[in-house]
Amino acid sequence: MLVAHTEQEMQIKAADAKREAIYFCPSCREQVILKRGRRTIAHFAHHAHSLCRPFSESETQAHLTGKWQIATYFGTGEVELEPYLKQIAQRPDLLLRRKHHSLAIEYQCSPISAIKLQDRNLGYQKAGLDVVWILGEQYLAKMKRVRQAEKWLRYSKKLGWYLLFWQTDQQQLVVWHHLTLSAMGELQGYVKTSHNGYFAQLKPVSVKVIKQQIQTQVQAGLHYKTPKWLRLQQFCYEHGSLLQDMPLVCYHFNGAEPLNCEAPVLWCFLMVVLLRSQRLGSLVRQLDFEKWAAKISIYFEGAQLIQCSTQQVIDSWGRQLEQFALLMQQHGILKRLDQKAWQLVAIP
């Protein structure tokens, strides 16, 4: 921990503490040890086998360093380090105090389960606090697909789907924003840091390469009778199609919402399979798209977007269906009649 209490109940930072003095944990009131050296950032630690719950997790030097840097980034005058919130028995890394509200900031360097993450969020919610999770730089290399990012993803009108990171070596905040999924299911978007501007995070993959990758996966999955691919093939067969007959338009389904942990091109194809089952010239409504998306949802692992509200997820699905309809329009398959209705003018 970076702060402790003196015998006079005064809070003191480890960087300002004196070795000969006695200090106590702000939570359990146990005496703590001051640790400070040339290669060690100043901090307090409990004695071995301490039962203090809020301060029971050991902290790495990277975590301690990152907390100091983030506090400096937001302005130490507005940030409280490691405040113990007695009513919920939780201790955020930082509490950013604003004029009209306060914000809990958690700097997460180590792995954490989705259940534990939800419990912490619920605790802050009970205390009337919003919480922002900033990930350590070791997470940067892992965030390639939705499965790695799902529990951290947040949405805002300004940033779209986004993730926050802190790099201790550069002492900078890194924002991945307006995140979407490539046709193959990789995260793509933009990066902004506190030191420089914007640049593309991922280079676009050609339709030719996407097609080759999907066809290879289909062939291998069916050859080895992988349950996932057999289920998809059975769905296609029941609706008069085959996985091997995926039309070219599906490979253009790029920039999908991060709602599923599978390649969006497969989701697009199952929607096309249901579209194929309609008669040429028939009316297709927004409600039909919603029913189809619900029908095929059992074939995909949905993302656990636990940092988001139900309404944000509903809105995201609305954007996904609109994107699908727009793709079908651009390829001459659907003709828009009004805001929520189309005519099927070609069979994909």
Side-chain angles (χ1 to χ4, degrees), residues 136-148:
E137 55 194 319
Q138 57 267 53
Y139 274 93
L140 277 166
K142 301 177 181 179
M143 296 297 181
K144 295 184 179 181
R145 305 185 74 86
V146 178
R147 190 170 282 107
Q148 288 82 41

Side-chain angles (χ1 to χ4, degrees), residues 146 155 161 179-181 253 255-260 264 312 315-317 319-320 323:
V146 178
Y155 184 85
W161 291 103
L179 293 172
T180 60
L181 296 186
F253 192 68
E257 301 282 318
L259 295 164
N260 291 317
Q312 286 174 329
D315 292 343
S316 186
W317 272 113
R319 293 191 297 271
Q320 174 111 326
Q323 184 184 355

Side-chain angles (χ1 to χ4, degrees), residues 146-148 150 181 228 231-232 258-263 267 296-304 317:
V146 178
R147 190 170 282 107
Q148 288 82 41
E150 56 182 343
L181 296 186
K228 164 190 167 180
R231 287 195 298 270
L232 291 172
L259 295 164
N260 291 317
C261 296
E262 308 287 345
W267 179 89
I296 66 175
S297 64
I298 61 173
Y299 296 94
F300 301 98
E301 180 186 350
Q304 298 182 64
W317 272 113

Side-chain angles (χ1 to χ4, degrees), residues 205-257:
V205 180
S206 69
V207 171
K208 181 179 179 180
V209 171
I210 295 169
K211 182 178 180 181
Q212 184 179 29
Q213 290 177 339
I214 285 292
Q215 289 181 342
T216 299
Q217 289 183 14
V218 169
Q219 290 171 3
L222 295 179
H223 176 77
Y224 291 105
K225 294 181 170 53
T226 306
K228 164 190 167 180
W229 294 102
L230 291 179
R231 287 195 298 270
L232 291 172
Q233 184 72 302
Q234 181 63 29
F235 175 87
C236 295
Y237 181 76
E238 290 173 356
H239 294 84
S241 296
L242 294 173
L243 280 170
Q244 298 89 325
D245 295 334
M246 192 179 300
L248 187 61
V249 63
C250 295
Y251 301 108
H252 289 271
F253 192 68
N254 186 48
E257 301 282 318

